[in-house]
Amino acid sequence: MKRCIGCHNEFEYMADKEAQLCESCADKALQSNNETQNGYVSTSDAAKILGVSTQTIYKYEKENKLTSLYDHKWRMRKTKLFKLDEVEQLKKEFNKPGLTTGEAAERVGVTSATILTYIKEGKIPATIERYKGKDLYFITEEDIEDFISSKEFQSQERKKERKQFYDKDTGHILFQSFTFNDGQFGRILELKGEYSKVVTKDGEAFTLREAIELGATPNYKIDEKPYSTKRGYAKFRFIKPHSVQSDIYEIIENFYKYAGPQNIRLTLEDEYIQMEVKPVALPFSPQSHQSVINLIDHYLIEGKILSDIDSIFIESDLEPFIIHIPSELKEFIRKEASSRKVSMEELAIEVFREYWKLN
């Protein structure tokens, strides 16, 4: 006698046969195998194919995602049988053909709604695919990487960085200097609201909240200046100083005071601070501030400095260049400039530079 591995009952078997199943269970196994070959699989096999539990298979059946073979034999089999082609189709649907809008949004750093807008505007290619019973947009890894590295997206990222240097609600600004109750000098080196980082000349670091609790007060107030209608910007590229009392920070603060944040663009790079400033006058006389003027001139990469008796004028170096173009082309440039959030003039300069590789 031997015990059946299927029903666990004892059965007689031939000594020269290595039987593992009784006759009844062997018939059922053969029948089940035939049914599988005829296009059906058991609940457990369907679960293995889809990589889910058997309970999930029953859930899919209730949701009409899978159809079982219902006949008088299913209780004898102790399993339901499901159409193999439906199981394989469901598996195909479960294999994601790319990134969802939510995953793409997380990758780009925007909302899902913004990704949908980019898709509708044709900025990000996408296809609609069936996935888990729903029609969804999918984006390939290659397309999302192409979008992230595109000039338009990089331009948007630079604009985000520019806006992060001034907190209009609190009146605090990046690189703003402070004095503590004990006379200690400090400066904001990271701007993150009340968790902004203030570093003292001795290298101690505090959050802005902690610094204020210790009696630190700004050395000057940021005044709201009207937006300048003067054309162009003077551009500077400063090396990031190691000392919070560097003359470079003093120069930047003077631009804040006399031009106002509304007329400044500031972008942080690895080792540099890039600043663009609308034309402005600074109270530096050539007689008493020549070293500071020389430092400003050293880091000027585009624009010019004009000296007066008791001040200097920082100007852009834009000059008139009048051309006549078809109205259709003008409208295209207007829309493109609007989408990039720059002026038509700035866009034209950028295109000219790229075309002749002048950057």
Side-chain angles (χ1 to χ4, degrees):
M1 300 292 287
K2 192 170 185 177
R3 190 171 297 278
C4 173
I5 64 173
C7 63
H8 303 293
N9 293 324
E10 291 186 341
F11 68 98
E12 292 184 2
Y13 70 103
M14 299 293 291
D16 60 338
K17 302 289 184 181
E18 294 186 359
Q20 300 294 320
L21 298 171
C22 66
E23 185 176 355
S24 175
C25 287
D27 289 341
K28 289 177 183 178
L30 180 60
Q31 183 182 28
S32 177
N33 184 58
N34 289 336
E35 286 169 334
T36 299
Q37 293 177 355
N38 290 332
Y40 289 90
V41 291
S42 68
T43 307
S44 59
D45 286 340
K48 288 177 183 177
I49 292 171
L50 295 176
V52 298
S53 67
T54 55
Q55 292 301 317
T56 301
I57 296 296
Y58 297 139
K59 177 174 175 286
Y60 291 159
E61 183 185 15
K62 290 180 180 179
E63 294 172 348
N64 295 319
K65 293 178 181 178
L66 291 175
T67 305
S68 64
L69 173 65
Y70 187 82
D71 58 20
H72 66 283
K73 300 178 182 177
W74 79 272
R75 291 188 182 280
M76 294 174 57
R77 295 190 207 97
K78 297 182 181 180
T79 181
K80 290 186 176 183
L81 295 177
F82 294 89
K83 294 180 179 178
L84 179 59
D85 59 348
E86 286 188 359
V87 175
E88 290 177 340
Q89 178 61 33
L90 195 58
K91 181 181 179 181
K92 183 179 178 181
E93 289 183 14
F94 282 8
N95 290 329
K96 284 198 306 178
L99 299 171
T100 63
T101 53
E103 291 167 336
E106 187 174 344
R107 186 78 63 85
V108 176
V110 297
T111 65
S112 297
T114 300
I115 293 294
L116 286 172
T117 299
Y118 288 155
I119 291 172
K120 291 174 182 177
E121 292 176 348
K123 295 177 181 178
I124 298 179
T127 57
I128 297 177
E129 303 284 350
R130 193 77 176 169
Y131 180 65
K132 292 190 176 181
K134 297 179 181 179
D135 291 327
L136 301 173
Y137 277 112
F138 284 95
I139 304 162
T140 66
E141 290 275 356
E142 183 180 357
D143 285 335
I144 205 67
E145 289 300 325
D146 286 346
F147 176 74
I148 291 173
S149 61
S150 69
K151 290 180 180 177
E152 180 178 357
F153 179 73
Q154 292 299 322
S155 176
Q156 291 174 356
E157 288 298 290
R158 286 194 294 271
K159 287 181 176 62
K160 286 181 184 177
E161 290 176 348
R162 290 171 186 163
K163 294 176 183 177
Q164 292 171 354
F165 78 97
Y166 176 51
D167 188 334
K168 187 175 181 180
D169 294 333
T170 64
H172 294 129
I173 196 164
L174 189 62
F175 308 135
Q176 187 174 20
S177 60
F178 285 73
T179 301
F180 289 75
N181 280 341
D182 60 359
Q184 180 78 291
F185 181 90
R187 193 179 294 281
I188 294 178
L189 295 187
E190 291 180 15
L191 192 68
K192 297 178 181 178
E194 62 182 11
Y195 298 103
S196 299
K197 183 180 179 181
V198 179
V199 178
T200 70
K201 67 175 183 179
D202 293 334
E204 289 185 279
F206 303 94
T207 66
L208 181 57
R209 176 194 284 182
E210 291 171 340
I212 292 173
E213 289 174 353
L214 292 171
T217 56
N219 291 332
Y220 60 91
K221 181 183 177 183
I222 299 297
D223 293 323
E224 296 288 332
K225 304 284 186 182
Y227 177 75
S228 174
T229 57
K230 293 182 179 180
R231 290 184 177 276
Y233 290 82
K235 297 181 181 180
F236 300 86
R237 196 163 187 252
F238 300 105
I239 295 175
K240 281 185 181 177
H242 295 294
S243 170
V244 296
Q245 291 184 305
S246 167
D247 289 339
I248 289 175
Y249 286 136
E250 293 291 334
I251 291 170
I252 292 173
E253 285 190 295
N254 275 285
F255 280 127
Y256 290 160
K257 293 176 188 177
Y258 296 102
Q262 293 82 357
N263 297 304
I264 294 174
R265 297 171 175 172
L266 190 144
T267 305
L268 299 181
E269 300 175 2
D270 290 338
E271 300 295 331
Y272 297 95
I273 302 166
Q274 183 157 305
M275 176 176 270
E276 301 176 39
V277 185
K278 281 281 190 178
V280 64
L282 298 178
F284 297 139
S285 68
Q287 289 76 21
S288 55
H289 298 90
Q290 191 58 53
S291 61
V292 175
I293 295 172
N294 290 341
L295 194 61
I296 293 174
D297 184 61
H298 177 74
Y299 290 108
L300 180 69
I301 58 174
E302 190 174 297
K304 53 191 176 183
I305 300 173
L306 304 177
S307 297
D308 201 352
I309 296 174
D310 58 356
S311 60
I312 60 171
F313 295 90
I314 308 297
E315 298 278 0
S316 72
D317 60 357
L318 294 185
E319 294 185 4
F321 177 63
I322 301 173
I323 61 173
H324 294 82
I325 59 176
S327 59
E328 183 180 355
L329 178 57
K330 181 180 178 181
E331 180 62 16
F332 172 80
I333 295 173
R334 185 192 67 76
K335 289 181 178 179
E336 186 67 17
S338 177
S339 70
R340 298 192 189 190
K341 293 182 173 57
V342 296
S343 68
M344 294 174 65
E345 189 175 73
E346 288 173 316
L347 177 61
I349 292 171
E350 181 183 338
V351 171
F352 290 154
R353 288 184 183 279
E354 288 177 359
Y355 183 81
W356 280 292
K357 298 180 173 59
L358 297 176
N359 287 339

